[in-house]
Amino acid sequence: MELWDNYSRKIDYLRLSITDRCNLRCIYCRPGLIKAQQERKDLLTYEEILRLVRCAVEVGISKIRLTGGEPLIRRDIVDLIRAIICIPGVRDLSLTTNGILLPYYIDGLVAAGLKRINISLDTLDPQLFRTMTGGRLEDALKGLRWAQERGLNPIKINVVVLAGINDDLEPFARMSMEEEVYIRFIEYMPLESTNLATGDSMRGLSYQEMLEKLSSYGSLRPTANPEGAGPATYFRYQGARGIIGLICSESNCFCQSCNRLRVTSDGKLKTCLFGSEELDLKNYLRDGSTDEQLKGFLISSLARKPQKRSQKFLSRDMSEVGG
Ligand code: SAM
């Protein structure tokens, strides 16, 4: 079975935020405003996540990403990965993490069958890393190195670029020349809460601005997306081992090729990251609905998927939606 929305987009990708809790405090993700953590009873349980994935796969989803918050904070993460990989029809399972806890979990994750991973890493400068995330760069780098040594491939490094803060992209450009990694520069997406906390002072770099900077470090050529499709536009420096990706939803909108559904850490289904509409998926998982009803709900949700985003700001913190 395949899932198609009203605008002829095939929907085959489900991103699940499995916790809103995080061990870092990235300035662009969870802003200075102190917000209470979601209550444990509001997070989807292990069984609910597995049932959801199984039903989603039966109606046409084949790619799953676990995100958060920090997904490695969930105690059942290794079991979840192992169980999801065993669901027939899951073609691709990935994890987005800040990498800090990878040294503790990597062996379990690899044994469970995880093949690839995305690691968020916004700077290679220890002091700036501390300022941007509250954590220690050496811990994040250790996580990255362990993932590389255990053979996860590809490893995609996500860098959210903020003007005047971490917009010196050269260290990452050099890294892509020397190492077999994907480095993906992500345009900052404004959050309502960040806007309130900072008075809209945080600004991302646009596609054009990033490309100009990157081109000044060496000869950069467009290259095909190694995965065939996706929101990133890829480039490679001449002779480089790694590649560079740009993901710029603000200045280079890719709504027309959106293939995703998202589930928030408290079990709401979002058909658009930038839409305020949230459908109460958790209710279906907890009110005695049958699998057929749950699948019907997933299929009917596609009629709610807008053609284009309609809002400037994201109404939820990224830690709840999962990026
Ligand atoms: N804790 C994990 C991590 O750090 O990768 C997963 C959660 S994080 C919310 C998922 C992704 O969202 C990360 O790559 C992060 O950089 C990105 N992200 C968070 N806030 C963002 C924002 N305001 N604009 C663009 N990307 C953002």
Side-chain angles (χ1 to χ4, degrees):
M1 185 167 175
E2 290 185 344
L3 277 180
W4 293 84
D5 74 359
N6 290 346
Y7 304 99
S8 304
R9 292 174 297 199
K10 185 176 169 189
I11 309 300
D12 58 2
Y13 185 14
L14 180 65
R15 292 176 70 106
L16 288 160
S17 173
I18 58 172
T19 177
D20 65 324
R21 292 153 171 77
C22 193
N23 47 353
L24 294 183
R25 287 286 175 274
C26 300
I27 52 175
Y28 51 78
C29 178
R30 173 173 276 185
L33 294 179
I34 304 300
K35 199 167 171 186
Q37 282 184 342
Q38 286 163 352
E39 288 189 42
R40 203 164 290 275
K41 69 172 176 36
D42 289 324
L43 303 179
L44 295 187
T45 65
Y46 172 85
E47 288 77 16
E48 287 166 345
I49 293 173
L50 289 187
R51 180 174 170 222
L52 167 61
V53 172
R54 189 170 40 74
C55 288
V57 167
E58 285 173 19
V59 295
I61 296 292
S62 57
K63 287 178 67 178
I64 309 284
R65 173 171 301 280
L66 301 184
T67 169
E70 174 49 44
L72 295 183
I73 280 191
R74 264 190 83 127
R75 283 203 206 103
D76 52 10
I77 184 67
V78 172
D79 294 332
L80 258 179
I81 298 265
R82 185 183 306 109
I84 292 176
I85 284 175
C86 291
I87 295 176
V90 173
R91 272 198 303 107
D92 184 40
L93 172 64
S94 185
L95 185 74
T96 301
T97 170
N98 57 41
I100 303 281
L101 293 174
L102 271 180
Y104 304 96
Y105 289 109
I106 191 76
D107 289 333
L109 293 170
V110 170
L114 188 70
K115 300 272 186 299
R116 63 190 201 85
I117 202 162
N118 289 9
I119 298 181
S120 302
L121 183 65
D122 297 316
T123 172
L124 295 172
D125 177 285
Q127 197 54 47
L128 186 55
F129 187 88
R130 165 73 73 193
T131 308
M132 288 187 74
T133 71
R136 295 193 322 166
L137 176 66
E138 59 186 276
D139 294 335
L141 288 179
K142 196 166 158 193
L144 168 65
R145 297 301 170 217
W146 279 56
Q148 286 174 318
E149 279 164 24
R150 296 302 187 276
L152 291 189
N153 190 21
I155 292 181
K156 296 181 182 170
I157 296 177
N158 288 342
V159 186
V160 176
V161 184
L162 297 174
I165 298 182
N166 64 333
D167 56 4
D168 175 8
L169 311 182
E170 190 164 5
F172 284 115
R174 302 264 158 248
M175 188 178 194
S176 90
M177 294 175 194
E178 287 152 22
E179 297 186 33
E180 206 182 314
V181 286
Y182 292 36
I183 297 186
R184 307 187 320 160
F185 296 106
I186 300 178
E187 185 172 8
Y188 164 68
M189 295 182 262
L191 275 57
E192 250 167 32
S193 49
T194 320
N195 186 45
L196 282 174
T198 67
D200 208 10
S201 61
M202 217 181 286
R203 189 180 80 79
L205 252 56
S206 68
Y207 180 90
Q208 207 47 42
E209 287 172 313
M210 290 195 213
L211 195 56
E212 275 167 25
K213 266 186 188 272
L214 291 164
S215 302
S216 70
Y217 309 137
S219 168
L220 192 65
R221 300 274 158 76
T223 187
N225 183 337
E227 285 155 351
T233 312
Y234 282 102
F235 300 87
R236 189 189 287 274
Y237 287 103
Q238 205 167 13
R241 297 185 65 204
I243 58 176
I244 298 278
L246 298 184
I247 304 183
C248 300
S249 65
E250 304 296 303
S251 54
N252 211 6
C253 164
F254 39 77
C255 295
Q256 73 284 356
S257 59
C258 183
N259 62 346
R260 9 191 112 173
L261 292 175
R262 292 182 158 81
V263 175
T264 63
S265 47
D266 56 350
K268 301 287 191 312
L269 183 76
K270 282 181 83 75
T271 58
C272 173
L273 179 60
F274 277 93
S276 53
E277 186 173 66
E278 301 189 346
L279 306 172
D280 198 350
L281 169 69
K282 191 166 61 189
N283 202 28
Y284 275 82
L285 290 161
R286 294 191 178 171
D287 72 354
S289 295
T290 62
D291 283 359
E292 286 317 306
Q293 286 168 320
L294 178 58
K295 287 189 245 177
F297 165 75
L298 292 172
I299 293 168
S300 64
S301 74
L302 292 191
R304 318 285 312 172
K305 192 168 170 65
Q307 184 171 21
K308 278 187 98 165
R309 65 184 259 191
S310 55
Q311 291 182 194
K312 178 165 189 266
F313 296 107
L314 207 89
S315 51
R316 288 259 206 157
D317 284 3
M318 280 293 189
S319 51
E320 296 165 347
V321 195

